[in-house]
Amino acid sequence: MTRIATAMRADDWQRAKAAGVNPTQYAILDHLDGRPAGLSVKDLAFQLGVSQPTATDSIAALERKGLIVKHPDPVDRRSVNILLTEQGRAALEAGHAVTGIAEQAVASLVPDEQEHLLVTLIAMIRHMQETNAIPVQRMCVSCRYFRPHAHAGAARPHHCNFVDAAFGQQDLRIDCREHETADPSFRAATWNAFQKDRPSLQANEERGS
Ligand code: SF4
């Protein structure tokens, strides 16, 4: 994992370079994408795992470049939300166009291996978020619209109530724009339902409880 993280850091630099920013600034643009109401400085710092002064410096640099804009929070006029501008979205797309080393490695796997990797990553991310090591991510397994195994035995067993459509295991989302965080009890029930056909995940969960 350390080796993969090293390669992914190199990918981050390449994407940030294509966008004309540094990796922290690029991560801010990425977190703002798909959030029309924006995020506060505090929320951005929390999402990135950096201090508020660090986030503030990066936000100021992005604002000077015209990639983000500050708007008063409609609920609390004393605070501001940070929003992506059209220019910021274009910069982000320039970064997304870069095919990273890690992406190439994933593409080299056969579909079954890719699906297994996706579910393993979801389980790891979920563990980190449920132990409060990281914020809740915009994943299907933490979304109030997710109905796992709603279509038992079908090629696309899961259901998304947001778009009212079935989807397969390989289409599980890790960063979905339409995601809405379910409450903890719903998330726990969803996870139990999701892993019911996956004995290895279930066994691990029982060992951890
Ligand atoms: S809205 Fe997005 S995160 Fe939620 S279930 Fe549908 S696809 Fe998954």
Side-chain angles (χ1 to χ4, degrees):
M1 287 177 75
T2 305
R3 299 291 169 268
I4 292 169
T6 303
M8 291 183 79
R9 271 196 297 278
D11 289 348
D12 288 345
W13 273 105
Q14 290 304 321
R15 292 198 177 97
K17 191 174 163 192
V21 296
N22 69 32
T24 303
Q25 294 166 4
Y26 189 78
I28 289 174
L29 298 179
D30 207 25
H31 273 90
L32 293 174
D33 190 30
R35 289 188 160 105
L39 286 172
S40 67
V41 175
K42 187 177 166 194
D43 285 342
L44 271 171
F46 184 54
Q47 289 284 342
L48 294 175
V50 300
S51 67
Q52 283 196 47
T54 300
T56 301
D57 287 348
S58 297
I59 287 164
L62 289 169
E63 193 177 19
R64 283 196 296 275
K65 293 175 184 175
L67 304 181
I68 56 115
V69 67
K70 290 176 183 164
H71 271 240
D73 186 316
V75 180
D76 179 1
R77 308 291 295 179
R78 290 167 304 175
S79 66
V80 292
N81 282 343
I82 318 298
L83 275 70
L84 204 56
T85 62
E86 279 307 313
Q87 218 180 321
R89 194 161 290 111
L92 196 56
E93 279 168 17
H96 283 166
V98 173
T99 305
I101 301 165
E103 202 174 333
Q104 291 172 39
V106 171
S108 74
L109 303 176
V110 298
D112 276 0
E113 290 172 329
Q114 289 179 350
E115 185 180 310
H116 188 70
L117 175 64
L118 176 62
V119 175
T120 303
L121 288 173
I122 288 170
M124 290 174 69
I125 295 168
R126 177 190 170 271
H127 177 80
M128 289 190 281
Q129 71 183 22
E130 296 302 327
T131 53
N132 297 320
I134 60 169
V136 172
Q137 304 296 301
R138 300 190 292 183
M139 303 195 296
C140 290
V141 295
S142 59
C143 178
R144 75 183 187 90
Y145 296 117
F146 185 46
R147 298 293 178 272
H149 300 292
H151 312 283
R156 292 184 293 166
H158 309 308
H159 197 88
C160 170
N161 275 359
F162 182 82
V163 290
D164 193 19
F167 65 99
Q169 191 90 327
Q170 71 281 6
D171 295 319
L172 286 161
R173 308 290 294 276
I174 284 187
D175 190 24
C176 173
R177 292 173 175 214
E178 283 73 38
H179 174 273
E180 284 188 32
T181 304
D183 63 45
S185 60
F186 188 95
R187 293 206 301 269
T190 299
W191 182 249
N192 284 338
F194 172 68
Q195 64 174 344
K196 74 177 172 58
D197 288 343
R198 302 190 61 84
S200 57
L201 283 179
Q202 207 160 18
N204 283 344
E205 199 74 6
E206 281 162 8
R207 268 202 301 275
S209 63

